[in-house]
Amino acid sequence: MQHRSDVEAADALRQAYQQIRSEIGKVIIGQDEVVKFVLVSIFSNGHCLLVGVPGLAKTLLVQTIARVLDLDFKRIQFTPDLMPSDIIGSEILGEDRNFKFIPGPVFSNIILADEINRTPPKTQAALLEAMQEKSVTAAGITHKLAQPFFVLATQNPIEQEGTYPLPEAQLDRFMFSVALNYPSFQEELQVVKNTTSTVQTEVNKILNASQITYFQQLVRNIPVTDHVLEYAVKLVSKTRPNGEFATPQINRLLSWGAGPRASQFLILGAKCHAVINGKYSPDIEDVQAIAKPILSHRIVRSYHAEAEGLSAADIIQQLF
């Protein structure tokens, strides 16, 4: 049985989540699923990858979230000539003839890594160390990053020229990979109406850095029953061709499956999803609700699946 204080804290997180959603809704029209997954990844202390064509308000979404959460925000535009030092910072020789470290834009709470696949792997790796270790190393000295630390990276699915696809090991660092779709006719009408006038929308600050860190710890403390744990781990195991739980169909459709990090993220995400929906412990429905954006970038389809036009989401649906 949870302590009364844990129950109250879970209720406080749910209320804060609803307030954040309504504040973001003043600026961002539609994209409800995307906003939900971004907020779940923040409260689960994960990172998020957004895949979508230009002009779908990815930057505006991140700026709005940073304002509502009262966090520092930096945008890094990834280009082919971007160097690791442009992200983490560099050592310079000061007037006193001593080297000193000048921090780069990664020293912020929320980082928007715009078009992360436009930069070579060496520079991608500089950001990914920060994501994993929550620190950066320059000239042999480790510098801790501010907490909370959250990376929201964007990828453009169309223009493949001049891109360096993220390797699987680097993709694995992102908790979610979320596809952005075009808005509906009514949503686009509202967007155009809102953005072509002089009216400025103000959003209120709902949480601060220390409250977010507290809620991240709370999510970790949410209890999980054994059968939900087993369901999540079995779901991930089913994606591994020729594995213990793989079906002949999966052996045919997938050439590579998800690793243990997927199981960890499924449980953390399910805990958070349960709390924001008024539950004090996750069930199988919570695992299924977040499974697609957690698994879709961790499985590699075989040529059979590609020939049949099956997406990663279609294959994950079969696992349920």
Side-chain angles (χ1 to χ4, degrees), residues 263-301:
S263 304
Q264 295 166 343
F265 282 145
L266 273 179
I267 290 299
L268 275 175
K271 287 181 178 191
C272 186
H273 191 270
V275 172
I276 62 176
N277 285 289
K279 294 182 272 189
Y280 301 111
S281 181
D283 52 31
I284 284 169
E285 284 73 27
D286 292 303
V287 176
Q288 291 179 343
I290 55 152
K292 282 182 188 172
I294 285 179
L295 295 174
S296 62
H297 58 301
R298 292 184 162 86
I299 59 177
V300 179
R301 293 173 301 153

Side-chain angles (χ1 to χ4, degrees), residues 6 45 74 80 115 135 139 143 148-149 237 280 306 315:
D6 285 353
N45 203 6
K74 294 268 173 37
E115 297 188 297
S135 63
H143 305 268
F149 177 71
S237 299
Y280 301 111
E306 289 183 22
I315 298 168

Side-chain angles (χ1 to χ4, degrees), residues 137-206:
T137 305
I141 297 171
T142 300
H143 305 268
K144 284 278 175 203
L145 295 173
Q147 292 299 322
F149 177 71
F150 173 67
V151 173
L152 205 147
T154 68
Q155 264 190 198
N156 187 333
I158 293 176
E159 301 167 47
Q160 285 307 316
E161 280 204 30
T163 59
Y164 303 84
L166 284 170
E168 276 73 25
Q170 296 186 350
L171 275 174
D172 197 41
R173 303 261 164 89
F174 288 97
M175 180 174 186
F176 290 118
S177 174
V178 185
L180 277 88
N181 299 313
Y182 288 111
S184 68
F185 176 76
Q186 287 301 329
E187 286 169 353
E188 191 162 349
L189 212 57
Q190 191 66 46
V191 167
V192 174
K193 197 172 172 183
N194 291 3
T195 54
T196 53
S197 69
T198 54
V199 179
Q200 291 289 313
T201 308
E202 284 301 312
V203 293
N204 299 309
K205 294 177 169 61
I206 303 297

Side-chain angles (χ1 to χ4, degrees), residues 26-302:
K26 292 178 185 176
V27 180
I28 304 294
I29 309 299
Q31 306 288 17
D32 289 342
E33 283 278 278
V34 177
V35 173
K36 178 179 85 173
F37 289 131
V38 170
L39 291 175
V40 167
S41 61
I42 290 175
F43 288 123
S44 304
N45 203 6
H47 307 283
C48 198
L49 181 67
L50 296 183
V51 183
V53 295
L56 295 181
K58 296 187 287 284
T59 308
L60 182 63
L61 170 64
V62 189
Q63 285 175 329
T64 307
I65 288 172
R67 286 194 347 244
V68 173
L69 299 180
D70 197 17
L71 296 173
D72 290 332
F73 163 71
K74 294 268 173 37
R75 177 176 182 268
I76 306 171
Q77 183 63 51
F78 280 70
T79 54
D81 60 350
L82 194 75
M83 299 295 290
S85 58
D86 296 328
I87 296 173
I88 63 173
S90 56
E91 296 264 315
I92 66 160
L93 191 61
E95 291 172 2
D96 57 358
R97 295 275 174 234
N98 286 324
F99 281 99
K100 63 176 182 175
F101 178 67
I102 304 296
V106 78
F107 285 86
S108 194
N109 295 120
I110 294 187
I111 306 295
L112 173 61
D114 219 355
E115 297 188 297
I116 191 171
N117 55 340
R118 287 243 174 265
T119 200
K122 183 180 178 181
T123 309
Q124 290 173 6
L127 179 67
L128 291 152
E129 181 207 344
M131 288 167 62
Q132 185 64 21
E133 310 299 334
K134 305 286 169 79
S135 63
V136 297
T137 305
I141 297 171
T142 300
H143 305 268
K144 284 278 175 203
L145 295 173
Q147 292 299 322
F149 177 71
F150 173 67
V151 173
L152 205 147
T154 68
Q155 264 190 198
N156 187 333
I158 293 176
E159 301 167 47
Q160 285 307 316
E161 280 204 30
T163 59
Y164 303 84
L166 284 170
E168 276 73 25
Q170 296 186 350
L171 275 174
D172 197 41
R173 303 261 164 89
F174 288 97
M175 180 174 186
F176 290 118
S177 174
V178 185
L180 277 88
N181 299 313
Y182 288 111
S184 68
F185 176 76
Q186 287 301 329
E187 286 169 353
E188 191 162 349
L189 212 57
Q190 191 66 46
V191 167
V192 174
K193 197 172 172 183
N194 291 3
T195 54
T196 53
S197 69
T198 54
V199 179
Q200 291 289 313
T201 308
E202 284 301 312
V203 293
N204 299 309
K205 294 177 169 61
I206 303 297
L207 295 176
N208 59 32
S210 61
Q211 288 170 310
I212 293 162
T213 308
Y214 169 75
F215 283 136
Q216 287 176 339
Q217 196 55 48
L218 172 76
V219 167
R220 283 194 163 267
N221 288 337
I222 299 291
V224 187
T225 59
D226 285 348
H227 85 280
V228 173
L229 269 171
E230 285 168 15
Y231 178 81
V233 175
K234 192 176 279 189
L235 189 64
V236 173
S237 299
K238 281 182 185 175
T239 67
R240 297 168 190 160
N242 305 313
E244 192 181 345
F245 298 103
T247 61
Q249 178 76 332
I250 288 300
N251 290 340
R252 198 174 69 83
L253 295 176
L254 293 182
S255 51
W256 203 255
R261 200 179 264 135
S263 304
Q264 295 166 343
F265 282 145
L266 273 179
I267 290 299
L268 275 175
K271 287 181 178 191
C272 186
H273 191 270
V275 172
I276 62 176
N277 285 289
K279 294 182 272 189
Y280 301 111
S281 181
D283 52 31
I284 284 169
E285 284 73 27
D286 292 303
V287 176
Q288 291 179 343
I290 55 152
K292 282 182 188 172
I294 285 179
L295 295 174
S296 62
H297 58 301
R298 292 184 162 86
I299 59 177
V300 179
R301 293 173 301 153
S302 69

